[in-house]
Amino acid sequence: MNVATAGSKDNPQSSALVAREVARLILTGVWREGTTLPREIELASRFDVSRASIREALSLLKAKGLIASKQKAGTHVRARFDWNMLDEELLNWTLSALPTQEFAKQIMEVRRIVEPEACAICAERGTDEDFARIERAYRGMDAAGMDRRAYAEPDLQFHRGILIATGNDFLIAFGATVAAALRMSFNLSTTNPGAPRKSLPYHRAVLDDIWARNPDGARQAMHRLMDLTEQNIVSALSRQKKKDAEDESARTRRTR
């Protein structure tokens, strides 16, 4: 794979592109846990970039926990439980590399574990200023109407606002996971007309229980929102699978 621009050994994005491609090989299992990576000079030749770009790319992947180096033993892929899957960039790479259905399943499991309890803590512990921030995000969602793109950013701020209001640094760190999940949801929702708008009353219910400082109610309201989100994703994946089958059938007919 050539990640450099034509006629140039490197470009300013070379190391980032190499890091993403190496991450893809790891995430998809081409380079499995424990695999020793090719030497720098071999990687530089494979990706048609300088060894400096390779070193930068490998440093980036080490910081994300994907690889490690040992003197005289080279660079190897670390065990999966060492990967920093909450890193926002790694989450985005995973979204691109893994089958959407598997990524959706894993990310929704995490959201169901984290967000309802975060809602309860937010309702109990958050300040009026925190709640006003979440309210502004909700109003931004409402103002977006049927514009899916305009809806996306305030929706993200709504969910992140809840995490921030917990005051728990570890829960706040889940913001990257929520962001990746929402991007995936919006990409899928194009096959579910009006899906963002239909979720608005569910967000309002969450917000009302937060303002009421009702932890149990906020928790249950978020569970209901998660149910709706999962239904939308399942429906969208089903539509996509049907469309892919129809496209494949059409291609088969054309080649006969």
Side-chain angles (χ1 to χ4, degrees), residues 1-15 17-18 44 47-50 53:
M1 176 184 175
N2 187 335
V3 299
T5 56
S8 173
K9 191 72 174 175
D10 274 316
N11 67 62
Q13 291 79 41
S14 292
S15 58
L17 293 170
V18 170
F47 296 114
D48 193 25
V49 297
S50 68
S53 287

Side-chain angles (χ1 to χ4, degrees), residues 21-32 80 83 93-94 96-99:
E21 178 60 16
V22 173
R24 185 190 67 79
L25 293 169
I26 294 170
L27 291 166
T28 57
V30 176
W31 289 349
R32 298 180 180 276
R80 184 175 290 269
W83 300 354
W93 291 345
T94 305
S96 299
L98 288 185

Side-chain angles (χ1 to χ4, degrees), residues 133-151:
R133 184 188 305 115
I134 301 167
E135 174 88 41
R136 287 194 296 273
Y138 171 82
R139 292 189 182 281
M141 294 160 64
D142 191 16
M146 298 298 290
D147 186 334
R148 185 177 66 89
R149 291 183 181 276
Y151 190 96

Side-chain angles (χ1 to χ4, degrees), residues 170-203:
F170 295 97
L171 285 173
I172 293 169
F174 276 95
T177 305
V178 171
L182 289 175
R183 276 191 289 272
M184 174 200 63
S185 298
F186 282 119
N187 289 338
L188 290 172
S189 69
T190 55
T191 60
N192 289 327
R197 190 71 186 176
K198 291 175 183 175
S199 76
L200 200 60
Y202 291 82
H203 286 84

